[in-house]
Coordinates of all heavy atoms in Angstrom, one line a residue:
M1 N 82.8 77.9 73.0 CA 82.0 79.1 73.6 C 81.9 80.2 72.5 O 83.0 80.5 72.0 CB 82.7 79.6 74.8 CG 82.6 78.6 75.9 SD 83.4 79.3 77.4 CE 83.5 77.8 78.3
A2 N 80.8 80.7 72.4 CA 80.6 81.8 71.4 C 81.2 83.1 71.9 O 81.2 83.4 73.1 CB 79.1 82.0 71.1
E3 N 81.7 83.9 71.0 CA 82.2 85.2 71.3 C 81.5 86.3 70.5 O 81.3 86.1 69.3 CB 83.7 85.3 71.0 CG 84.3 86.5 71.5 CD 85.9 86.5 71.5 OE1 86.4 85.5 71.9 OE2 86.4 87.5 71.0
R4 N 81.0 87.3 71.2 CA 80.3 88.4 70.5 C 81.0 89.7 70.8 O 81.2 90.1 71.9 CB 78.9 88.5 71.0 CG 78.0 87.3 70.6 CD 76.6 87.5 71.1 NE 76.6 87.1 72.5 CZ 76.2 87.8 73.6 NH1 75.8 89.0 73.4 NH2 76.3 87.4 74.8
S5 N 81.2 90.5 69.7 CA 81.7 91.8 69.8 C 82.9 92.0 70.8 O 82.9 92.9 71.6 CB 80.6 92.7 70.2 OG 79.5 92.6 69.3
G6 N 83.8 91.0 70.8 CA 84.9 91.2 71.7 C 84.7 90.8 73.2 O 85.5 90.8 74.0
T7 N 83.4 90.4 73.5 CA 83.1 90.0 74.9 C 82.9 88.5 74.9 O 82.0 88.0 74.2 CB 81.8 90.7 75.3 OG1 82.0 92.1 75.2 CG2 81.5 90.3 76.8
P8 N 83.8 87.8 75.5 CA 83.7 86.3 75.6 C 82.5 85.8 76.4 O 82.1 86.6 77.3 CB 85.0 85.9 76.1 CG 85.5 87.0 77.0 CD 84.9 88.3 76.3
A9 N 82.1 84.6 76.2 CA 81.0 84.0 77.0 C 81.5 83.9 78.4 O 80.7 84.1 79.4 CB 80.6 82.7 76.4
E10 N 82.8 83.7 78.7 CA 83.4 83.6 80.0 C 84.3 84.8 80.2 O 85.1 85.1 79.3 CB 84.2 82.3 80.1 CG 83.3 81.1 80.0 CD 82.3 80.9 81.2 OE1 82.7 81.3 82.3 OE2 81.2 80.4 80.9
P11 N 84.2 85.5 81.3 CA 85.1 86.7 81.5 C 86.6 86.3 81.6 O 87.0 85.3 82.1 CB 84.5 87.3 82.8 CG 84.0 86.1 83.5 CD 83.4 85.2 82.5
V12 N 87.4 87.3 81.2 CA 88.8 87.2 81.3 C 89.1 88.3 82.4 O 88.8 89.5 82.1 CB 89.6 87.5 80.0 CG1 91.1 87.6 80.3 CG2 89.3 86.4 79.0
H13 N 89.6 87.9 83.5 CA 89.9 88.8 84.6 C 91.3 89.4 84.4 O 92.2 88.8 83.8 CB 89.9 88.1 85.9 CG 88.6 87.5 86.2 ND1 87.5 88.1 86.7 CD2 88.1 86.2 85.9 CE1 86.4 87.3 86.7 NE2 86.8 86.1 86.2
N14 N 91.5 90.6 84.9 CA 92.8 91.3 84.7 C 93.2 92.2 85.8 O 92.3 92.6 86.6 CB 92.9 92.0 83.3 CG 92.0 93.3 83.4 OD1 92.5 94.3 84.0 ND2 90.9 93.3 82.8
R15 N 94.5 92.5 85.9 CA 95.0 93.4 86.9 C 95.6 94.6 86.3 O 96.5 95.3 86.8 CB 96.1 92.7 87.6 CG 95.7 91.6 88.6 CD 96.9 91.0 89.3 NE 96.6 90.2 90.4 CZ 97.2 89.1 90.7 NH1 98.4 88.8 90.1 NH2 96.8 88.3 91.7
I16 N 95.1 95.1 85.2 CA 95.6 96.2 84.5 C 95.5 97.5 85.4 O 96.5 98.2 85.5 CB 94.9 96.5 83.1 CG1 95.1 95.3 82.2 CG2 95.4 97.8 82.5 CD1 94.2 95.3 80.9
A17 N 94.4 97.7 86.0 CA 94.2 98.9 86.9 C 95.2 98.9 88.0 O 95.8 99.9 88.4 CB 92.8 99.0 87.4
V18 N 95.4 97.7 88.6 CA 96.3 97.5 89.8 C 97.8 97.9 89.3 O 98.5 98.6 90.0 CB 96.3 96.1 90.4 CG1 97.4 95.9 91.4 CG2 94.9 95.9 91.0
L19 N 98.2 97.3 88.2 CA 99.5 97.5 87.7 C 99.7 99.0 87.3 O 100.8 99.6 87.6 CB 99.8 96.6 86.5 CG 99.9 95.1 86.8 CD1 99.8 94.3 85.6 CD2 101.1 94.9 87.6
R20 N 98.7 99.6 86.7 CA 98.8 101.0 86.3 C 99.0 101.9 87.6 O 99.8 102.8 87.6 CB 97.5 101.5 85.6 CG 97.5 101.5 84.2 CD 96.3 102.2 83.5 NE 95.1 102.2 84.2 CZ 94.7 103.2 85.0 NH1 95.4 104.2 85.3 NH2 93.5 103.2 85.6
T21 N 98.1 101.6 88.6 CA 98.1 102.4 89.8 C 99.5 102.3 90.5 O 100.0 103.3 91.0 CB 97.0 102.0 90.8 OG1 95.8 102.2 90.1 CG2 97.0 102.8 92.0
E22 N 100.0 101.1 90.6 CA 101.3 100.8 91.3 C 102.4 101.6 90.6 O 103.3 102.1 91.3 CB 101.7 99.3 91.2 CG 100.9 98.4 92.1 CD 101.3 97.0 91.9 OE1 102.1 96.6 91.0 OE2 100.9 96.1 92.7
R23 N 102.3 101.8 89.3 CA 103.3 102.5 88.6 C 103.0 104.0 88.3 O 103.8 104.6 87.6 CB 103.6 101.7 87.2 CG 104.3 100.4 87.5 CD 104.1 99.5 86.3 NE 104.9 98.2 86.4 CZ 104.5 97.2 87.1 NH1 103.4 97.2 87.8 NH2 105.3 96.1 87.1
G24 N 101.9 104.4 88.7 CA 101.5 105.8 88.5 C 101.3 106.2 87.1 O 101.6 107.3 86.6
I25 N 100.7 105.3 86.3 CA 100.4 105.4 84.9 C 99.0 105.7 84.7 O 98.1 105.0 85.2 CB 100.9 104.2 84.1 CG1 102.4 104.0 84.3 CG2 100.6 104.3 82.6 CD1 102.9 102.6 83.9
S26 N 98.6 106.7 83.9 CA 97.2 107.0 83.6 C 96.7 106.1 82.5 O 97.5 105.5 81.8 CB 97.0 108.5 83.1 OG 97.6 108.7 81.8
R27 N 95.4 106.0 82.3 CA 94.9 105.2 81.2 C 95.3 105.8 79.9 O 95.7 105.0 79.0 CB 93.3 105.3 81.2 CG 92.7 104.4 82.3 CD 91.2 104.4 82.2 NE 90.6 103.6 83.2 CZ 89.4 103.6 83.7 NH1 88.6 104.5 83.2 NH2 89.0 102.7 84.6
R28 N 95.4 107.1 79.8 CA 95.8 107.7 78.5 C 97.3 107.4 78.2 O 97.7 107.1 77.1 CB 95.6 109.2 78.5 CG 95.8 109.8 77.2 CD 95.4 111.3 77.1 NE 94.0 111.5 77.4 CZ 93.0 111.5 76.4 NH1 93.3 111.2 75.2 NH2 91.8 111.7 76.8
Q29 N 98.2 107.4 79.2 CA 99.6 107.1 79.0 C 99.7 105.6 78.6 O 100.5 105.4 77.7 CB 100.4 107.3 80.3 CG 100.6 108.7 80.7 CD 101.2 108.9 82.1 OE1 100.7 108.2 83.0 NE2 102.2 109.7 82.2
L30 N 99.0 104.7 79.2 CA 99.1 103.3 78.8 C 98.5 103.2 77.4 O 99.1 102.5 76.5 CB 98.3 102.4 79.7 CG 98.3 100.9 79.4 CD1 99.7 100.4 79.3 CD2 97.4 100.2 80.5
A31 N 97.4 103.8 77.1 CA 96.8 103.7 75.7 C 97.8 104.2 74.7 O 98.0 103.6 73.6 CB 95.5 104.5 75.7
D32 N 98.4 105.3 75.0 CA 99.4 105.9 74.0 C 100.6 105.0 73.8 O 101.0 104.7 72.6 CB 100.0 107.3 74.5 CG 98.9 108.4 74.4 OD1 97.9 108.2 73.8 OD2 99.2 109.4 75.1
A33 N 101.1 104.3 74.9 CA 102.2 103.4 74.7 C 101.8 102.2 73.9 O 102.6 101.6 73.2 CB 102.7 103.0 76.1
L34 N 100.5 101.7 74.1 CA 100.0 100.6 73.4 C 99.4 100.9 72.0 O 99.1 100.0 71.3 CB 99.0 99.8 74.2 CG 99.5 99.3 75.6 CD1 98.4 98.8 76.4 CD2 100.6 98.2 75.4
E35 N 99.3 102.2 71.7 CA 98.7 102.6 70.5 C 97.3 102.2 70.3 O 96.9 101.7 69.2 CB 99.6 102.3 69.2 CG 101.0 102.8 69.3 CD 101.9 102.4 68.2 OE1 101.6 101.4 67.5 OE2 102.9 103.1 68.0
V36 N 96.5 102.3 71.4 CA 95.1 102.1 71.3 C 94.4 103.3 71.9 O 95.0 104.2 72.5 CB 94.7 100.8 72.2 CG1 95.4 99.6 71.6 CG2 95.0 101.0 73.7
H37 N 93.1 103.4 71.7 CA 92.3 104.5 72.2 C 92.2 104.3 73.8 O 92.1 103.3 74.3 CB 90.9 104.5 71.6 CG 90.1 105.7 71.8 ND1 89.4 106.0 73.0 CD2 89.9 106.8 71.0 CE1 88.9 107.2 72.9 NE2 89.1 107.7 71.7
Y38 N 92.3 105.5 74.5 CA 92.3 105.4 75.9 C 91.0 104.8 76.5 O 91.1 104.1 77.6 CB 92.5 106.8 76.6 CG 91.3 107.7 76.5 CD1 90.5 107.8 77.6 CD2 91.1 108.5 75.4 CE1 89.3 108.6 77.6 CE2 90.0 109.4 75.4 CZ 89.1 109.4 76.5 OH 88.0 110.2 76.4
Q39 N 89.9 104.9 75.8 CA 88.7 104.2 76.3 C 88.9 102.7 76.3 O 88.2 102.0 77.1 CB 87.5 104.6 75.5 CG 87.1 106.1 75.8 CD 85.9 106.5 75.0 OE1 85.7 106.1 73.8 NE2 85.0 107.3 75.6
T40 N 89.7 102.2 75.4 CA 89.9 100.7 75.3 C 90.5 100.2 76.6 O 90.1 99.2 77.1 CB 90.9 100.4 74.2 OG1 90.3 100.8 72.9 CG2 91.2 98.9 74.1
I41 N 91.4 101.0 77.2 CA 91.9 100.6 78.5 C 90.8 100.5 79.6 O 90.8 99.6 80.4 CB 93.0 101.6 79.0 CG1 94.2 101.7 77.9 CG2 93.6 101.2 80.3 CD1 94.8 100.4 77.5
G42 N 89.9 101.5 79.6 CA 88.8 101.4 80.6 C 87.9 100.2 80.3 O 87.5 99.5 81.3
Y43 N 87.6 99.9 79.1 CA 86.8 98.7 78.8 C 87.5 97.5 79.2 O 86.9 96.5 79.8 CB 86.6 98.6 77.2 CG 85.7 99.7 76.7 CD1 86.0 100.2 75.4 CD2 84.6 100.2 77.4 CE1 85.2 101.2 74.8 CE2 83.8 101.2 76.8 CZ 84.2 101.7 75.5 OH 83.4 102.7 75.0
L44 N 88.8 97.4 79.0 CA 89.6 96.2 79.4 C 89.6 96.1 81.0 O 89.3 95.0 81.5 CB 91.1 96.3 79.0 CG 91.3 96.1 77.5 CD1 92.7 96.6 77.1 CD2 91.0 94.7 77.0
E45 N 89.8 97.2 81.6 CA 89.9 97.1 83.1 C 88.6 96.7 83.7 O 88.5 96.0 84.7 CB 90.3 98.5 83.6 CG 91.7 98.9 83.4 CD 92.1 100.2 83.9 OE1 91.3 101.0 84.3 OE2 93.3 100.5 83.9
R46 N 87.5 97.1 83.1 CA 86.1 96.8 83.6 C 85.6 95.4 83.2 O 84.6 95.0 83.5 CB 85.1 97.9 83.2 CG 85.3 99.2 83.9 CD 84.2 100.2 83.6 NE 84.0 100.5 82.2 CZ 84.7 101.4 81.5 NH1 85.6 102.2 82.1 NH2 84.5 101.6 80.2
G47 N 86.4 94.7 82.3 CA 86.0 93.5 81.8 C 84.9 93.5 80.8 O 84.3 92.5 80.5
E48 N 84.7 94.7 80.2 CA 83.7 94.8 79.1 C 84.3 94.4 77.8 O 83.5 94.3 76.8 CB 83.3 96.3 79.0 CG 82.6 96.8 80.3 CD 82.3 98.3 80.3 OE1 82.5 98.9 79.3 OE2 81.8 98.7 81.4
Y49 N 85.5 94.2 77.7 CA 86.2 93.8 76.4 C 87.4 93.0 76.8 O 88.1 93.3 77.7 CB 86.6 95.1 75.7 CG 87.5 94.9 74.5 CD1 86.8 94.4 73.3 CD2 88.8 95.1 74.4 CE1 87.6 94.2 72.1 CE2 89.6 94.9 73.3 CZ 88.9 94.4 72.2 OH 89.7 94.2 71.0
S50 N 87.6 91.9 76.0 CA 88.8 91.0 76.2 C 89.7 91.3 75.1 O 89.4 91.4 73.9 CB 88.4 89.5 76.2 OG 87.6 89.3 77.3
P51 N 91.0 91.5 75.4 CA 92.0 91.9 74.4 C 92.3 90.7 73.5 O 92.1 89.5 73.9 CB 93.2 92.2 75.2 CG 93.1 91.4 76.4 CD 91.6 91.3 76.7
S52 N 92.8 91.0 72.3 CA 93.3 90.0 71.4 C 94.6 89.4 72.1 O 95.1 90.0 73.0 CB 93.7 90.6 70.1 OG 94.8 91.5 70.2
L53 N 95.0 88.3 71.7 CA 96.2 87.7 72.3 C 97.4 88.7 72.1 O 98.2 88.9 72.9 CB 96.5 86.3 71.6 CG 97.8 85.7 72.1 CD1 97.9 85.5 73.6 CD2 98.0 84.4 71.4
Y54 N 97.5 89.3 70.9 CA 98.5 90.2 70.6 C 98.5 91.4 71.6 O 99.6 91.8 72.1 CB 98.4 90.7 69.1 CG 99.4 91.7 68.7 CD1 100.8 91.4 68.5 CD2 99.1 93.1 68.6 CE1 101.7 92.3 68.1 CE2 100.0 94.0 68.2 CZ 101.3 93.6 68.0 OH 102.3 94.6 67.6
L55 N 97.4 92.0 71.8 CA 97.3 93.1 72.7 C 97.6 92.7 74.2 O 98.3 93.4 74.9 CB 95.9 93.8 72.7 CG 95.7 95.0 73.6 CD1 96.8 96.1 73.4 CD2 94.3 95.6 73.4
A56 N 97.1 91.5 74.6 CA 97.4 91.0 75.9 C 98.9 90.8 76.1 O 99.5 91.2 77.1 CB 96.7 89.6 76.1
L57 N 99.6 90.3 75.1 CA 101.0 90.1 75.2 C 101.8 91.5 75.3 O 102.7 91.6 76.0 CB 101.5 89.3 74.0 CG 101.2 87.8 74.0 CD1 101.4 87.1 72.7 CD2 101.9 87.1 75.1
R58 N 101.3 92.4 74.5 CA 101.9 93.8 74.5 C 101.7 94.4 75.9 O 102.6 95.1 76.4 CB 101.3 94.6 73.4 CG 101.8 94.2 72.0 CD 101.2 95.0 70.9 NE 101.5 96.4 71.1 CZ 100.7 97.4 70.8 NH1 99.5 97.2 70.3 NH2 101.1 98.7 71.0
I59 N 100.5 94.2 76.5 CA 100.3 94.8 77.9 C 101.2 94.1 78.9 O 101.8 94.8 79.7 CB 98.8 94.5 78.3 CG1 97.9 95.4 77.4 CG2 98.6 94.9 79.7 CD1 96.4 95.1 77.5
A60 N 101.4 92.8 78.8 CA 102.3 92.1 79.8 C 103.7 92.6 79.5 O 104.5 92.9 80.5 CB 102.2 90.6 79.6
E61 N 104.1 92.8 78.3 CA 105.4 93.2 78.0 C 105.6 94.7 78.4 O 106.7 95.0 79.0 CB 105.6 93.2 76.4 CG 107.1 93.5 76.0 CD 107.2 93.4 74.5 OE1 106.8 94.3 73.8 OE2 107.7 92.3 74.1
Y62 N 104.6 95.5 78.3 CA 104.7 96.9 78.8 C 105.0 96.9 80.3 O 105.9 97.7 80.7 CB 103.4 97.6 78.4 CG 103.4 99.1 79.0 CD1 104.0 100.1 78.3 CD2 102.9 99.3 80.2 CE1 104.1 101.4 78.8 CE2 102.9 100.6 80.7 CZ 103.5 101.6 80.0 OH 103.5 102.9 80.5
F63 N 104.3 96.1 81.0 CA 104.5 96.1 82.5 C 105.7 95.2 82.9 O 106.0 95.1 84.1 CB 103.2 95.6 83.2 CG 102.1 96.6 83.1 CD1 100.9 96.4 82.5 CD2 102.3 97.9 83.8 CE1 99.9 97.3 82.4 CE2 101.2 98.8 83.8 CZ 100.1 98.5 83.1
E64 N 106.3 94.5 81.9 CA 107.5 93.6 82.2 C 107.1 92.6 83.2 O 107.9 92.3 84.1 CB 108.7 94.5 82.6 CG 109.1 95.5 81.6 CD 110.3 96.4 82.0 OE1 110.4 96.6 83.2 OE2 111.1 96.8 81.1
V65 N 106.0 91.9 83.0 CA 105.6 90.8 83.8 C 105.0 89.7 82.9 O 104.7 89.9 81.8 CB 104.5 91.2 84.8 CG1 105.0 92.3 85.8 CG2 103.2 91.7 84.1
P66 N 105.0 88.4 83.4 CA 104.4 87.4 82.7 C 102.9 87.6 82.4 O 102.2 88.3 83.2 CB 104.6 86.1 83.6 CG 105.7 86.5 84.5 CD 105.6 88.0 84.7
L67 N 102.4 87.1 81.3 CA 101.0 87.2 81.0 C 100.1 86.8 82.1 O 99.1 87.5 82.3 CB 100.7 86.4 79.7 CG 99.4 86.6 79.0 CD1 99.3 88.0 78.4 CD2 99.2 85.6 77.9
E68 N 100.4 85.8 82.8 CA 99.6 85.3 83.9 C 99.4 86.3 85.1 O 98.5 86.1 85.9 CB 100.1 84.0 84.4 CG 100.1 82.9 83.4 CD 101.4 82.9 82.6 OE1 102.4 83.5 82.9 OE2 101.4 82.3 81.5
V69 N 100.4 87.2 85.2 CA 100.3 88.2 86.2 C 99.2 89.2 85.9 O 98.6 89.8 86.8 CB 101.7 88.9 86.4 CG1 101.6 90.1 87.3 CG2 102.7 87.9 87.0
V70 N 99.0 89.4 84.6 CA 98.0 90.4 84.2 C 96.6 89.8 83.9 O 95.6 90.4 84.3 CB 98.5 91.1 82.9 CG1 97.5 92.3 82.5 CG2 99.9 91.7 83.0
F71 N 96.5 88.7 83.3 CA 95.3 88.1 82.9 C 95.1 86.7 83.5 O 96.0 85.9 83.7 CB 95.2 87.9 81.4 CG 95.3 89.3 80.7 CD1 96.5 89.7 80.2 CD2 94.2 90.0 80.6 CE1 96.6 91.0 79.6 CE2 94.2 91.3 79.9 CZ 95.4 91.7 79.4
S72 N 93.8 86.3 83.8 CA 93.4 85.0 84.4 C 92.0 84.7 83.9 O 91.2 85.6 83.7 CB 93.5 85.1 85.9 OG 93.1 83.9 86.4
L73 N 91.7 83.4 83.9 CA 90.4 82.9 83.6 C 89.6 82.9 84.9 O 88.3 82.8 84.9 CB 90.4 81.5 83.0 CG 91.0 81.5 81.6 CD1 91.0 80.1 81.1 CD2 90.2 82.4 80.6
R74 N 90.2 83.0 86.1 CA 89.6 83.0 87.4 C 89.8 84.4 88.0 O 90.9 85.0 87.8 CB 90.2 81.9 88.3 CG 89.9 80.5 87.8 CD 90.3 79.5 88.7 NE 90.2 78.2 88.1 CZ 91.2 77.5 87.6 NH1 92.5 78.0 87.6 NH2 91.1 76.3 87.1
P75 N 88.9 84.8 88.9 CA 89.2 86.0 89.6 C 90.4 86.0 90.4 O 90.8 84.9 91.0 CB 87.9 86.2 90.5 CG 86.9 85.3 89.9 CD 87.6 84.2 89.2
F76 N 91.2 87.1 90.4 CA 92.4 87.2 91.2 C 92.0 87.2 92.7 O 90.9 87.9 93.0 CB 93.2 88.4 90.9 CG 93.9 88.3 89.5 CD1 93.3 88.9 88.4 CD2 95.1 87.6 89.4 CE1 94.0 88.8 87.2 CE2 95.7 87.4 88.2 CZ 95.2 88.1 87.0
P77 N 92.8 86.7 93.6 CA 92.4 86.8 95.0 C 92.6 88.3 95.4 O 93.4 89.0 94.9 CB 93.5 86.0 95.7 CG 94.5 85.6 94.7 CD 93.9 85.9 93.4
R78 N 91.8 88.7 96.4 CA 91.9 90.1 96.9 C 93.2 90.3 97.6 O 93.7 89.4 98.2 CB 90.7 90.4 97.8 CG 89.4 90.3 97.1 CD 88.3 90.8 98.0 NE 88.4 92.2 98.4 CZ 87.8 93.2 97.7 NH1 87.0 92.9 96.7 NH2 88.0 94.4 98.1
I79 N 93.8 91.5 97.4 CA 95.0 91.8 98.1 C 94.8 91.8 99.6 O 93.8 92.3 100.1 CB 95.6 93.1 97.6 CG1 96.0 93.0 96.1 CG2 96.8 93.6 98.5 CD1 96.4 94.3 95.5
G80 N 95.6 91.1 100.4 CA 95.4 91.0 101.8 C 94.7 89.8 102.2 O 94.5 89.6 103.4
S81 N 94.3 89.0 101.3 CA 93.5 87.7 101.6 C 94.5 86.7 101.9 O 95.5 86.5 101.2 CB 92.6 87.3 100.5 OG 91.8 88.3 100.1

């Protein structure tokens, strides 16, 4: 599958916003901790940009959860389903 400008042909779903909200962390706080621009966090959360493997691992490590808790190739089930 071809990849253009960081956007894969198939979307990578994530729970970054959910994890941030649960922990009371702003986009800017997360960006500062990961040493990325705060807009990058927004792009990631909206699925407009897929992270490198390195960044994905750093995000999972930041939240202290396995990578699969943050990222998936399939949509996550809705909470309460």
Side-chain angles (χ1 to χ4, degrees):
M1 294 181 192
E3 188 171 312
R4 289 179 282 121
S5 306
T7 304
E10 297 293 325
V12 174
H13 303 276
N14 72 76
R15 288 183 169 146
I16 298 170
V18 171
L19 292 165
R20 264 192 331 93
T21 302
E22 285 178 353
R23 289 162 172 80
I25 298 165
S26 71
R27 283 183 179 162
R28 191 170 299 272
Q29 289 171 313
L30 179 57
D32 289 347
L34 298 172
E35 299 178 344
V36 298
H37 195 277
Y38 76 93
Q39 288 180 322
T40 300
I41 304 302
Y43 294 142
L44 290 168
E45 289 180 351
R46 292 188 300 273
E48 295 172 9
Y49 174 75
S50 291
S52 66
L53 177 58
Y54 179 73
L55 181 55
L57 290 167
R58 288 180 58 217
I59 292 168
E61 184 177 80
Y62 176 84
F63 288 116
E64 299 178 330
V65 296
L67 190 65
E68 300 83 19
V69 169
V70 186
F71 297 98
S72 176
L73 294 177
R74 294 186 190 100
F76 288 100
R78 296 186 65 94
I79 295 173
S81 306

